[in-house]
């Protein structure tokens, strides 16, 4: 599932896929003051767009905190990088760059990149509300069906089953709808 952002300065907009954002949307923020809280950094970064993920780190051997922030939109990540790199924030000039431009670690440590996958329903709803507006869309469950036979969990009174759900998302303004399939396990 994807749709086009119309609020971008470009006439073409940006295609947002309903998949986990890749490394091209991830920023590395360095030199964050040790007294700065996670909420303060998230509030600052949220001024530029919807965050998919945020992680704040610190090591006792370093004088500063650092963070990784992933936006749904590449455009939002570019805006944040351009506005915040060398920006004075809580007494320090923070450094912001795309995470895929980090130099290789000299100690041989590598970071395994996760493969994009479909967004779960809560992240899909979060993205829809941000990009389309809270009242700009509706969802409707079209069908729920078991994928495999429901089985009793040995040694318990519980049952376990995997289900497939078809959900239709409709955009009110454009009279467009699309169906999405999700799978879940219930015990």
């Amino acid at each position: 599932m994807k749709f086009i952002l119309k609020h971008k300065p470009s006439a073409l907009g940006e295609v947002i896929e309903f998949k986990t954002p890749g490394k091209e949307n991830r920023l590395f923020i360095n030199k964050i003051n040790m007294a700065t809280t996670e909420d303060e950094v998230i509030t600052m970064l949220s001024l530029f767009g919807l965050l998919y993920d945020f992680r704040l780190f610190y090591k006792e051997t370093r004088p500063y905190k650092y963070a990784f922030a992933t936006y749904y939109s590449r455009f939002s990540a570019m805006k944040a990088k351009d506005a915040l790199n060398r920006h004075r924030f809580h007494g320090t000039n923070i450094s912001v760059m795309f995470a895929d431009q980090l130099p290789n670690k000299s100690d041989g440590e590598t970071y395994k990149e996760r493969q994009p996958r479909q967004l779960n329903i809560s992240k899909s709803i979060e993205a829809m509300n941000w990009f389309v507006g809270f009242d700009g869309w509706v969802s409707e469950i079209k069908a729920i069906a078991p994928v495999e036979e429901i089985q009793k969990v040995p040694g318990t009174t519980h049952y376990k089953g995997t289900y497939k759900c078809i959900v239709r998302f409709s955009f009110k303004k454009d009279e467009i709808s699309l169906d999405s399939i999700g799978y879940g396990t219930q015990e």
Side-chain angles (χ1 to χ4, degrees):
M1 173 177 17
K2 53 178 104 170
F3 60 94
I4 296 178
L5 283 178
K6 296 181 182 174
H7 305 293
K8 183 179 172 186
S10 163
L12 297 176
E14 179 179 8
V15 175
I16 302 295
E17 295 192 55
F18 276 66
K19 293 185 178 180
T20 55
K23 63 184 175 184
E24 67 277 358
N25 295 4
R26 185 176 307 127
L27 296 177
F28 173 70
I29 303 101
N30 197 14
K31 298 186 180 175
I32 300 168
N33 188 310
M34 288 298 274
T36 304
T37 67
E38 183 173 310
D39 287 342
E40 290 170 326
V41 180
I42 290 172
T43 299
M44 175 187 63
L45 294 170
S46 295
L47 295 173
F48 302 96
L50 182 63
L51 288 171
Y52 170 76
D53 188 41
F54 176 80
R55 311 277 168 120
L56 183 65
F57 301 93
Y58 68 93
K59 294 181 182 177
E60 292 180 10
T61 58
R62 292 180 55 148
Y64 301 106
K65 293 180 182 179
Y66 63 98
F68 288 92
T70 306
Y71 287 92
Y72 282 93
S73 158
R74 171 74 175 179
F75 180 67
S76 295
M78 288 189 303
K79 283 193 315 184
K81 178 193 162 294
D82 291 346
L84 297 175
N85 189 36
R86 298 189 184 118
H87 174 72
R88 191 144 188 89
F89 184 65
H90 289 230
T92 62
N93 291 331
I94 60 175
S95 167
V96 182
M97 66 173 58
F98 283 101
D100 60 357
Q101 296 173 343
L102 286 171
N104 291 334
K105 303 277 256 173
S106 59
D107 59 7
E109 183 179 350
T110 59
Y111 300 100
K112 184 177 179 182
E113 185 64 29
R114 289 188 230 160
Q115 292 297 315
R117 59 187 190 284
Q118 296 296 320
L119 289 179
N120 66 39
I121 190 67
S122 65
K123 290 289 189 179
S124 294
I125 289 170
E126 181 181 62
M128 293 286 281
N129 285 337
W130 177 269
F131 292 113
V132 181
F134 182 76
D135 62 349
W137 64 281
V138 294
S139 64
E140 166 188 12
I141 296 175
K142 300 301 286 182
I144 298 177
V147 174
E148 58 188 36
E149 188 175 317
I150 298 171
Q151 300 175 354
K152 188 173 188 314
V153 177
T156 70
T157 58
H158 299 270
Y159 289 84
K160 183 177 179 179
T162 301
Y163 296 87
K164 174 174 78 171
C165 179
I166 300 173
V167 177
R168 174 164 292 159
F169 292 96
S170 300
F171 302 93
K172 294 177 181 179
K173 181 180 174 184
D174 299 321
E175 297 181 12
I176 297 172
S177 65
L178 53 99
D179 292 345
S180 183
I181 298 174
Y183 294 89
T185 302
Q186 178 69 38
E187 184 176 322

